[in-house]
């Protein structure tokens, strides 16, 4: 389901949030983002943490419901690239905008796969530390919070996407008071920047150090994220090495797991789930497992994969 399909199911009433009108930061014409497939001689902007209170103000927008199952609905906002970046609606503006304002099909595929594994008792999120890479709307990370994750970190290339879309979505879905008047939301964090720079701010799993350590690792304090989620992040071949290196740095060893959803091939940019799979298999450190194929006609064939350390 994409934005158009979601709009068809929009409720006539529902919560609203205000996202602020935003002026795109001065980039000086630099085309950065080598971790996203666009080469540049300009230095990458530093990775930054975006605070929860930095939600941007834009005109109040009616939230659209995304129905996960009969018992769970996630609400999402809608913000245009013209409002945020001052450009006509577009999926990609090299060096400025990496598609985070669009609800990509893979994000919903990923939520459905997680929900299915939970229902079949193959997987649980209670008490877990979760990272969503290339989050955009943040629906998979929000789903993790609704299912009991203790900590969720959301990462996107654009700070503007986090401020205008991710943070408002997180607030409306996760920041709810209980009947007793206490907040039951998980710990959340928001981080912007290129994947080649993000390990400076995110939790690190020290997988290489753990692998070479002698003795039994059972019962040992492990760092990093228990679960890494990512949807539609593998579209450009040149971004894959930085993405994979970041995953290996941040995933808990042993026991961490990665859930990935994306298109088998991204025509015109060369990436895809199979390109990422080749990288993982060549490296040999992680075990891949295909969970699902999606061929619903809304795009070329999509896949959901799970990866874990061997």
């Amino acid at each position: 389901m994409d934005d158009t399909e979601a709009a068809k199911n929009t409720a006539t009433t529902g919560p609203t949030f205000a996202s602020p009108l935003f002026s795109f930061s001065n980039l000086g014409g630099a085309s950065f983002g080598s971790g996203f497939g666009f080469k540049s001689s300009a230095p990458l902007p530093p990775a930054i943490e975006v605070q929860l209170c930095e939600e941007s103000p834009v005109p109040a927008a009616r939230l659209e419901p995304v129905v996960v199952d009969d018992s769970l609905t996630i609400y999402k906002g809608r913000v245009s690239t013209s409002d945020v970046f001052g450009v006509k609606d577009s999926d990609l503006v090299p060096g400025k905008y990496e598609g985070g304002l669009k609800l990509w099909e893979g994000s919903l595929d990923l939520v459905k796969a997680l929900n299915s594994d939970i229902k079949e008792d193959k997987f649980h999120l209670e008490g877990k530390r979760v990272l969503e890479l290339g989050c955009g709307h943040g629906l998979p990370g929000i789903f993790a919070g609704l299912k009991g994750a203790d900590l969720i970190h959301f990462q996107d290339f654009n700070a503007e996407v986090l401020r205008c879309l991710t943070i408002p979505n997180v607030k409306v879905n996760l920041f709810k008071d209980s009947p007793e008047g206490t907040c039951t939301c998980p710990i959340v964090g928001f981080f912007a920047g290129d994947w080649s720079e993000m390990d400076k701010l995110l939790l690190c799993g020290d997988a290489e150090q753990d692998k070479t350590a002698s003795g039994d690792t059972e019962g040992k304090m492990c760092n990093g994220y228990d679960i890494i989620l990512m949807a539609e992040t593998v579209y450009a071949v040149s971004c894959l090495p930085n993405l994979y290196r970041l995953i290996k740095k941040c995933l808990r060893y042993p026991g961490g797991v990665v859930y990935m959803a994306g298109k088998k091939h991204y025509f015109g940019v060369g990436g895809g789930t199979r390109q990422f799979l080749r990288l993982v298999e060549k490296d040999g450190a992680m075990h891949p497992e295909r969970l699902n194929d999606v061929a619903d006609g809304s795009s070329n064939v999509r896949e959901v994969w799970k990866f874990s350390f061997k």
Side-chain angles (χ1 to χ4, degrees):
M1 183 171 69
D2 58 16
D3 271 341
T4 302
E5 291 172 287
K8 292 178 183 176
N9 296 323
T10 302
T12 54
T13 60
T16 62
F17 66 79
S19 333
L21 275 173
F22 181 83
S23 257
F24 190 74
S25 10
N26 181 13
L27 297 173
S31 176
F32 53 77
S34 61
F36 289 78
F38 301 103
K39 296 181 180 179
S40 172
S41 57
L44 288 169
I48 61 169
E49 181 172 4
V50 176
Q51 301 299 323
L52 187 67
C53 62
E54 292 182 44
E55 176 185 354
S56 292
V58 179
R62 180 67 61 184
L63 294 180
E64 299 173 348
V66 176
V67 178
V68 179
D69 59 28
D70 292 341
S71 62
L72 179 61
T73 297
I74 300 174
Y75 289 93
K76 73 173 193 70
R78 180 192 289 267
V79 183
S80 72
T81 54
S82 58
D83 286 342
V84 179
F85 296 105
V87 297
K88 191 173 180 179
D89 285 350
S90 172
D91 290 346
L92 182 69
V93 180
K96 290 187 178 183
Y97 168 59
E98 296 292 337
L101 298 179
K102 177 176 177 176
L103 180 61
W104 296 90
E105 300 94 341
S107 179
L108 300 176
D109 296 339
L110 183 52
V111 170
K112 291 174 184 176
L114 295 171
N115 196 46
S116 176
D117 273 7
I118 290 172
K119 285 185 172 182
E120 295 176 12
D121 203 25
K122 297 177 180 178
F123 175 72
H124 69 92
L125 281 156
E126 292 89 346
K128 300 298 185 182
R129 294 170 294 186
V130 177
L131 169 64
E132 184 181 355
L133 293 172
C135 62
H137 283 259
L139 298 193
I142 289 168
F143 175 82
L146 293 172
K147 291 297 182 178
D150 272 357
L151 175 146
I152 308 141
H153 283 169
F154 297 86
Q155 180 274 334
D156 199 274
F157 182 69
N158 293 109
E160 292 79 9
V161 169
L162 297 173
R163 293 180 181 122
C164 293
L165 190 63
T166 316
I167 290 175
N169 283 352
V170 166
K171 283 184 174 181
V172 78
N173 285 286
L174 297 182
F175 281 53
K176 300 175 182 177
D177 292 336
S178 70
E180 294 78 23
T182 58
C183 182
T184 57
C185 61
I187 298 168
V188 296
F190 305 90
F191 303 90
D194 188 89
W195 290 325
S196 64
E197 301 287 316
M198 287 311 304
D199 62 298
K200 299 178 176 69
L201 295 179
L202 300 175
L203 302 182
C204 284
D206 301 324
E208 296 306 316
Q209 178 180 335
D210 288 346
K211 281 185 176 182
T212 57
S214 58
D216 187 7
T217 59
E218 187 174 353
K220 142 183 182 181
M221 176 61 74
C222 294
N223 299 319
Y225 298 94
D226 303 296
I227 301 159
I228 294 178
L229 307 174
M230 56 183 194
E232 310 273 10
T233 56
V234 294
Y235 54 86
V237 173
S238 57
C239 80
L240 300 185
N242 281 338
L243 174 61
Y244 185 50
R245 278 193 292 268
L246 182 62
I247 288 169
K248 291 206 297 179
K249 285 181 179 179
C250 291
L251 189 64
R252 178 172 65 87
Y253 178 87
V257 62
V258 179
Y259 278 78
M260 175 191 76
K263 296 176 179 64
K264 190 179 289 188
H265 301 289
Y266 290 86
F267 298 108
V269 284
T273 55
R274 294 311 174 94
Q275 292 279 0
F276 186 77
L277 179 63
R278 290 189 195 103
L279 181 64
V280 172
E281 290 177 335
K282 182 178 179 180
D283 178 66
M286 304 189 82
H287 170 72
E289 177 186 353
R290 189 172 64 186
L291 301 181
N292 200 12
D293 289 325
V294 183
D296 56 10
S298 64
S299 71
N300 52 311
V301 177
R302 307 188 302 275
E303 298 181 319
V304 182
W305 287 81
K306 181 167 70 173
F307 302 92
S308 56
F309 282 119
K310 292 180 178 178

